Amino acid sequence: MCGFWGLMRAYWLSNRWKEAWTLTVVIALFTAASSKTSVWMAEASGELVNSIAYFHDPGNANPLATVLGNAGLLVLLVILKDAGIIGVRHLFSTTLHRKWRGWLNGRFNEALLDPNHTHFHLQHGARDQDGAPLAPPDNIDQRVQESIKGMTGGAIGLAMGVMGVATSLFFVGQKLLETSTVVAGLEFLGVYGGAILAFAAVAAYVPLNTFVALKLGRILEQLTISIQRAEGSYRSELTTLLRRSFHVAAARGEVVQKEMHANLYTDIDRTWSRLNWFHSGYMSFEKIYDFLGARIVAYGPGLLPYMHEKISLKGYITGAELVNSLISQCSWFIHVMPAIATLKANARRVSDLASAIEKVQRPAEFYSSTGRCDFRFGSQHAVFGLAVRDLELLHEGDQEAPFVTAANLRFRRGEWTFMKGESGCGKTSLLKAINGLWPHGGGDVVFPEGVRSFYASQDIRLSRVSLKQLVCLPESHLGHSDAATASALHKAGLGEFIEFLSEPCRDGKCWDEVLSGGQKQKLVLARILLHRPGLLFLDEATGALDVGAKTAFHQAIKDNCPGITVISVMHEASPPKSATGEEFYDSVLSIADGVAVKHPLRTMLPAELTTILEQPVAASRLGIPRLRRKDGTGQPIG
């Protein structure tokens, strides 16, 4: 489903093929009926012009009634075609558009939100076969929404145009052959001389101008892609601004933000200007083409037979209307060339996204193009807990320079481990690697079999859903009762919000705007208490809480999640304790000089701690910076 034609036919070959083909057949039938009605309209136009031309003819007994009758018939045919056939066809075509877009949108959502975390991997760059860097797809939201909508709608319109051309060639061509006559100088063609002359005029006029339109269409396609990319970047920056609005206001960064917006819009304006120039030129080309086709080319083929009195005025007008109808239908590509350019631009945006999604379906192969990726994940009996062996973490492009190594780490069932180390030493990276969210490096990670894990990070973004849905994530709220959800909220310290459990907002604001940073972390605690995972990763998940709230956070997990294994990253020098002074944590995992070492947590006397801190080897193994004496100028000694 990556290429253009794969995207085009996927819906018709899916499990909803009956729906797709039924709508397609109905649209085709209405398109054929529209083409046939065009023939009837051409005949009625000839009758109307003929009745007007012979209005004063002595043999015309009732000229006014004849004119009004022919005019009324033409009006009825117009109403039948435009209001009946075209209107109903539009209803079916828009239904097909809605169904196809919905199916395709669902497919992309399934691909992005699969258990493989494709949406996460998709935001990382790769390299091609020659080693050149490949940027990740930009503005994924725009591609999934606007580009898919534009592509599906444009493809349906293009298909209806092709069907219209085919049916018009059949019905109009059939009528031209029926009304054809001998043409002076072309007697060797017999009675088909008039029809062949008409077909020749169309064949000479339409393809040449279509070639010109194709050349202009390619330029329009490139400009359309450029403006889509520019507008998507601008919209993305506006969305990002609203998400960090407080930080911009607090830092008084409006001036810099305005400069960013101005630079982004300059790109839009420049591309838009070029696009307008080409649209204006194309519109002028199209108007001149339509006029010459309807007033010169259409009336040219029948002029010679009419001059030699081989056909009547009525036949001449009817033939000209048929040729004009044929030109109009065959010129459909010219009329919709800007739309085709937009269709191709949208299709390229969508197909590029589909190709990028396919590449990251195998993360190990994908990341291997930018560095080493040799992580192996397995499972073992739950009694043995979590094990990490021979783990090395690398940055993109590095092959043999790991910034974190872990020879052998084991986390027993029910064990609480406190992870410590200087900022930037790789604590969060280690947690991500254990959870399969770090791209480069290698090693073995063996999870306890049948144990659910939960990852709680410091940065929390809440979706625009009800409070109950937020608490029940990552599961559906339908699987949890209101009482259980309310109980989890109460235990987490958010009992004041229980009455708003089913509300998606409060006072017109979504929960992401209502709750403070500390309350959001308590909301995550409510999720933990509701789901009771067996393995919990806390990545600075209490950074917005005060000392008392941190203690309550840990105590709630201790009391309500028996047997849970906890691995926690915190900025504190020592792990928190309960209100009675008891230790929550059983062990410490320290990272120093790029080496991760785990050891039991020991309560030391101040003298013992000072001794360890003054021993560089022991301090390094414990992940504690060595204390160094300083001279009078503040410079370290030794």
Side-chain angles (χ1 to χ4, degrees), residues 416 488-494 518 521-522 524-526 528-529 536 538 541-542 545-561 570 576-580 582 584-585:
W416 287 44
L489 274 176
H490 176 72
K491 293 175 181 178
L494 297 175
Q521 293 188 335
K522 290 181 180 180
V524 173
L525 172 61
I528 297 170
L529 301 181
L536 177 62
L538 299 176
T542 58
L545 302 176
D546 58 28
V547 176
K550 288 179 182 179
T551 301
F553 186 101
H554 285 77
Q555 191 66 56
I557 297 175
K558 198 77 170 180
D559 295 340
N560 295 277
C561 303
M570 302 178 72
K577 300 180 181 180
S578 69
T580 59
E582 297 179 2
F584 288 118
Y585 289 87

Side-chain angles (χ1 to χ4, degrees), residues 485-564:
T485 309
S487 175
L489 274 176
H490 176 72
K491 293 175 181 178
L494 297 175
E496 70 222 65
F497 298 109
I498 290 177
E499 60 179 305
F500 305 103
L501 201 60
S502 61
E503 301 296 330
C505 58
R506 183 180 179 184
D507 299 329
K509 295 182 178 180
C510 64
W511 290 107
D512 193 59
E513 298 173 329
V514 171
L515 301 180
S516 65
Q519 289 173 326
K520 290 178 183 179
Q521 293 188 335
K522 290 181 180 180
L523 179 65
V524 173
L525 172 61
R527 292 177 185 170
I528 297 170
L529 301 181
L530 180 65
H531 298 303
R532 295 186 179 182
L535 181 58
L536 177 62
F537 299 92
L538 299 176
D539 187 5
E540 300 182 25
T542 58
L545 302 176
D546 58 28
V547 176
K550 288 179 182 179
T551 301
F553 186 101
H554 285 77
Q555 191 66 56
I557 297 175
K558 198 77 170 180
D559 295 340
N560 295 277
C561 303
I564 190 173

Side-chain angles (χ1 to χ4, degrees), residues 38-325:
S38 296
V39 175
W40 296 337
M41 289 173 60
E43 292 177 322
S45 296
E47 291 286 353
L48 177 60
V49 173
N50 187 67
S51 61
I52 294 173
Y54 290 96
F55 187 85
H56 297 292
D57 188 275
N60 194 344
N62 198 348
L64 181 59
T66 303
V67 171
L68 293 177
N70 290 331
L73 178 60
L74 183 59
V75 170
L76 287 175
L77 289 173
V78 170
I79 294 174
L80 173 64
K81 179 182 178 181
D82 294 340
I85 299 174
I86 300 297
V88 175
R89 186 186 67 169
H90 179 73
L91 177 61
F92 279 98
S93 66
T94 52
T95 300
L96 177 61
H97 184 197
R98 179 171 57 86
K99 297 288 187 180
W100 184 17
R101 180 197 176 190
W103 178 84
L104 197 57
N105 183 77
R107 292 281 293 169
F108 271 95
N109 276 325
E110 289 176 8
L112 288 169
L113 300 172
D114 63 358
N116 194 42
H117 311 304
T118 294
H119 63 93
F120 172 78
H121 301 304
L122 194 62
Q123 300 178 63
H124 293 78
R127 293 183 182 273
D128 59 17
Q129 295 179 349
D130 299 327
L134 296 174
D138 63 324
N139 307 313
I140 295 176
D141 58 334
Q142 182 194 53
R143 294 174 188 255
V144 173
Q145 288 299 310
E146 295 179 8
S147 294
I148 286 180
K149 181 181 179 181
M151 183 195 72
T152 51
I156 292 173
L158 177 62
M160 289 195 300
V162 172
M163 286 188 286
V165 170
T167 54
S168 291
L169 283 172
F170 177 77
F171 290 118
V172 176
Q174 185 182 49
K175 193 63 181 179
L176 284 172
L177 290 173
E178 289 178 3
T179 58
S180 182
T181 185
V182 177
V183 178
L186 299 175
E187 289 85 359
F188 65 94
L189 296 175
V191 294
Y192 297 111
I196 293 176
L197 195 61
F199 289 137
V202 175
Y205 185 66
V206 175
L208 177 61
N209 290 277
T210 301
F211 177 77
V212 176
L214 285 172
K215 292 294 185 181
L216 294 175
R218 290 174 184 173
I219 300 174
L220 290 173
E221 178 188 350
Q222 295 298 326
L223 290 175
T224 301
I225 293 175
S226 297
I227 199 167
Q228 284 181 341
R229 186 181 295 114
E231 289 181 340
S233 298
Y234 188 35
R235 184 182 63 186
S236 177
E237 182 57 38
L238 287 173
T239 303
T240 304
L241 166 65
L242 297 177
R243 289 179 177 174
R244 53 186 176 87
S245 180
F246 169 77
H247 303 286
V248 173
R252 303 186 185 279
E254 285 81 3
V255 173
V256 175
Q257 192 70 37
K258 282 191 291 186
E259 291 178 358
M260 293 172 58
H261 290 178
N263 292 334
L264 289 171
Y265 193 81
T266 298
D267 191 20
I268 294 176
D269 187 69
R270 186 184 302 113
T271 308
W272 197 1
S273 175
R274 295 179 60 195
L275 196 60
N276 288 343
W277 274 97
F278 273 95
H279 272 300
S280 298
Y282 194 89
M283 183 177 66
S284 300
F285 160 76
E286 186 179 358
K287 293 295 184 182
I288 295 172
Y289 172 84
D290 288 343
F291 179 83
L292 294 177
R295 294 292 177 264
I296 305 297
V297 180
Y299 283 85
L303 183 59
L304 193 59
Y306 179 69
M307 290 170 59
H308 291 84
E309 298 183 345
K310 297 294 184 180
I311 57 176
S312 63
L313 177 62
K314 171 187 171 182
Y316 180 42
I317 297 299
T318 301
E321 289 294 328
L322 288 171
V323 174
N324 183 34
S325 176

